[in-house]
């Protein structure tokens, strides 16, 4: 980390992090102007950071110079326009830098230089500033609302607020895998959720589809996710995690409502996956150009009956596999003519997005789903989680 950047950020109040970065870049790095763009909750726009909530100033998240840096997760240097005061006649440059933390894409830091003031030697230090800013924003979110507010194109419903606070992030990268996930509708979700936790040897992933809507659905999902986390953090295995969450839901609701769940544990060395399928969501796999459903034995949803006994199944992932975890709000959605989205449409969408990184795939699939709905208002959560499996190159693996 750049020493001056780290010192400036650590010494700034949480709500003044961007002010500290802007002052540093203007004073020490020769910049003429600095902007911070944060990804909105729908992953569709990059919102200009401002202390005025629900700002309308934004750019597409995957178009234009800033969108190019956000999508590729690589710096992009663009010439300034003739109208840009940083470079009369377009002679200046704007450096767009991804602001990310361990694969979780937060936004883009755009640093403008007057004509002749930028050269490539500045790029490395600028990247370090952007990286340091990303880490500090995540820490600052515990103490200030300004960055969360800046991500919002409009107000969240209370249920959506509760759901988004549960999520670990929207993407994550490690040498063994890359993850991306998205919920729709972003500003008024119902009961779907996802969670993940990575350790030295395993990745645990949960994908939940709760009953109901609004506050009732959010409360149900909060209880289930909290129970699963409590069991996982107590060192319990998958079967006991499911049992504890099942008991928590039944104890609270006595079977009146339930929650469907996929609970998976990936061995990072071998690619062996332990899984409990408590209802839906479903799993699809793209392997060697073929899309197919991973067929699992469906067990009872959490909270339906008292003392349900769960069992683990196993399958294997191979380097190069891409897995999709989808809620019924994806595969059951109907077109205006009453046609289910189904496997055929999903396979087409999966192939159309095969060259995108997992962080971009969920948004792209949800946009295709919106086209299938044909403008019909969404009536259920649509949740997509995408996992690319790389494995450990030097580890022994079992055959599928």
């Amino acid at each position: 980390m750049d020493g001056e950047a780290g010192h400036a950020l650590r010494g700034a109040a949480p709500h003044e992090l961007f002010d500290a970065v802007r002052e540093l870049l203007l004073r020490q790095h020769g910049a003429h102007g600095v902007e911070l763009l944060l990804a909105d909750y729908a992953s569709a726009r990059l919102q200009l950071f401002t202390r005025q909530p629900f700002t309308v100033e934004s750019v597409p998240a995957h178009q234009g110079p800033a969108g190019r840096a956000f999508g590729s997760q690589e710096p992009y240097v663009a010439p300034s326009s003739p109208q840009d005061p940083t470079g009369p006649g377009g002679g200046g440059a704007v450096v767009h830098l991804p602001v990310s933390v361990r694969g979780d894409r937060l936004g883009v830091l755009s640093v403008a230089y007057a004509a002749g003031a930028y050269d490539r030697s500045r790029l490395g230090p600028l990247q370090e500033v952007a990286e340091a800013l990303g880490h500090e924003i995540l820490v600052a979110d515990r103490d200030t609302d300004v960055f969360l507010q800046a991500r919002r194109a409009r107000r969240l419903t209370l249920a959506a607020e509760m759901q988004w606070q549960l999520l670990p992030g929207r993407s994550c990268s490690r040498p063994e895998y890359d993850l991306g996930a998205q919920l729709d509708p972003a500003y008024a979700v119902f009961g779907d959720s996802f969670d993940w936790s990575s350790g030295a040897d395993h990745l645990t992933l949960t994908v939940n589809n709760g009953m109901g809507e609004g506050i009732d659905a959010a409360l149900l999902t909060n209880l289930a996710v909290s129970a699963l986390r409590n069991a996982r953090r107590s060192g319990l295995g998958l079967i006991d995690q499911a049992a504890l969450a099942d008991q928590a839901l039944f104890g609270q609701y006595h079977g009146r409502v339930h929650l469907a769940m996929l609970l998976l544990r990936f061995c990072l060395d071998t690619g062996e996956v332990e899984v409990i399928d408590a209802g839906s969501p479903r799993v699809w796999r793209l392997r060697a150009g073929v899309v197919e459903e991973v067929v699992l034995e469906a067990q009872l949803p959490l909270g339906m009956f008292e003392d349900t006994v769960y069992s683990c199944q196993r399958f294997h992932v191979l380097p190069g596999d891409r897995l999709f975890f989808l809620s019924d709000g994806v595969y059951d959605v109907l077109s205006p003519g009453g046609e289910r989205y189904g496997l055929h449409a999903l396979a087409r969408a999966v192939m159309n997005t095969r060259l995108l990184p997992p962080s971009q795939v969920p948004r792209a699939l949800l946009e295709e789903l919106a086209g299938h709905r044909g403008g019909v208002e969404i009536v259920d959560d649509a949740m997509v989680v995408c996992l690319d499996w790389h494995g450990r190159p030097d580890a022994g693996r079992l055959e599928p």
Side-chain angles (χ1 to χ4, degrees), residues 28-188:
Q28 300 292 337
H29 292 259
H32 188 282
V34 184
E35 289 182 343
L36 175 63
L37 300 156
L38 295 173
D40 84 325
Y41 279 72
S43 294
R45 309 287 297 181
L46 293 173
Q47 304 268 127
L48 180 66
F49 175 75
T50 168
R51 290 194 172 82
Q52 181 64 38
F54 320 126
T55 176
V56 296
E57 295 184 71
S58 65
V59 298
H62 300 291
Q63 298 175 25
R68 180 167 175 171
F70 184 71
S72 69
Q73 288 296 285
E74 296 288 343
Y76 179 68
V77 182
S80 57
S81 67
Q83 295 79 24
D84 190 333
T86 63
V94 183
V95 186
H96 301 280
L97 303 140
V99 179
S100 306
V101 180
R102 293 188 176 91
D104 192 9
R105 304 179 307 159
L106 305 181
V108 172
L109 182 67
S110 297
V111 185
Y113 284 91
Y118 174 77
D119 62 71
R120 287 192 58 83
S121 66
R122 295 188 182 273
L123 186 58
L126 290 176
Q127 287 180 280
E128 292 179 353
V129 172
E131 181 181 353
L133 177 61
H135 283 270
E136 291 298 327
I137 286 175
L138 285 189
V139 175
D141 280 343
R142 302 180 306 181
D143 301 313
T144 181
D145 291 332
V146 296
F147 298 105
L148 293 171
Q149 286 177 321
R151 292 176 56 189
R152 302 178 183 199
R154 59 185 185 274
R155 289 188 61 182
L156 295 175
T157 65
L158 176 55
E161 186 84 51
M162 295 169 67
Q163 296 286 82
W164 280 104
Q165 290 302 308
L166 274 181
L167 301 181
R170 284 182 292 181
S171 51
C172 177
S173 292
R174 277 192 54 175
E176 297 87 356
Y177 61 83
D178 288 292
L179 263 170
Q182 180 66 31
L183 282 173
D184 231 16
Y187 292 86

Side-chain angles (χ1 to χ4, degrees), residues 209-212 220 249 253 255-260 301-305:
N209 186 356
M211 285 181 63
L220 173 67
L249 294 186
Y253 295 104
R256 295 189 302 273
V257 294
H258 55 265
L259 179 136
L302 301 182
M304 182 173 282
F305 298 105

Side-chain angles (χ1 to χ4, degrees), residues 79-324:
S80 57
S81 67
Q83 295 79 24
D84 190 333
T86 63
V94 183
V95 186
H96 301 280
L97 303 140
V99 179
S100 306
V101 180
R102 293 188 176 91
D104 192 9
R105 304 179 307 159
L106 305 181
V108 172
L109 182 67
S110 297
V111 185
Y113 284 91
Y118 174 77
D119 62 71
R120 287 192 58 83
S121 66
R122 295 188 182 273
L123 186 58
L126 290 176
Q127 287 180 280
E128 292 179 353
V129 172
E131 181 181 353
L133 177 61
H135 283 270
E136 291 298 327
I137 286 175
L138 285 189
V139 175
D141 280 343
R142 302 180 306 181
D143 301 313
T144 181
D145 291 332
V146 296
F147 298 105
L148 293 171
Q149 286 177 321
R151 292 176 56 189
R152 302 178 183 199
R154 59 185 185 274
R155 289 188 61 182
L156 295 175
T157 65
L158 176 55
E161 186 84 51
M162 295 169 67
Q163 296 286 82
W164 280 104
Q165 290 302 308
L166 274 181
L167 301 181
R170 284 182 292 181
S171 51
C172 177
S173 292
R174 277 192 54 175
E176 297 87 356
Y177 61 83
D178 288 292
L179 263 170
Q182 180 66 31
L183 282 173
D184 231 16
Y187 292 86
V189 296
F190 296 93
D192 291 358
S193 183
F194 53 84
D195 193 21
W196 57 66
S197 176
S198 185
D201 299 309
H202 294 90
L203 165 69
T204 301
L205 172 66
T206 58
V207 187
N208 307 307
N209 186 356
M211 285 181 63
E213 59 184 61
I215 298 297
D216 291 338
L219 288 170
L220 173 67
T221 303
N222 267 261
L223 179 57
V225 172
S226 297
L228 287 166
R229 287 175 174 172
N230 177 254
R232 186 183 73 226
R233 292 165 183 172
S234 298
L236 301 180
L238 288 197
I239 291 174
D240 289 331
Q241 290 177 37
L244 190 149
D246 176 62
Q247 293 166 13
L249 294 186
F250 188 85
Q252 183 67 30
Y253 295 104
H254 305 287
R256 295 189 302 273
V257 294
H258 55 265
L259 179 136
M261 175 206 68
L262 273 171
L263 177 57
L264 306 104
R265 189 169 186 256
F266 294 79
C267 177
L268 301 181
D269 273 337
T270 66
E272 182 181 49
V273 187
E274 298 176 275
V275 56
I276 295 174
D277 178 3
S280 64
R282 299 185 188 178
V283 187
W284 275 269
R285 177 178 59 211
L286 173 62
R287 175 183 287 174
V290 177
V291 181
E292 58 186 353
E293 184 174 0
V294 178
V295 179
L296 300 170
E297 179 185 346
Q299 302 175 62
L300 291 174
L302 301 182
M304 182 173 282
F305 298 105
E306 188 173 13
D307 296 328
T308 301
V309 177
Y310 292 97
S311 61
C312 278
Q313 298 173 255
R314 287 174 171 79
F315 67 94
H316 287 86
V317 286
L318 301 177
D321 281 356
R322 171 168 283 185
L323 299 181
F324 296 85

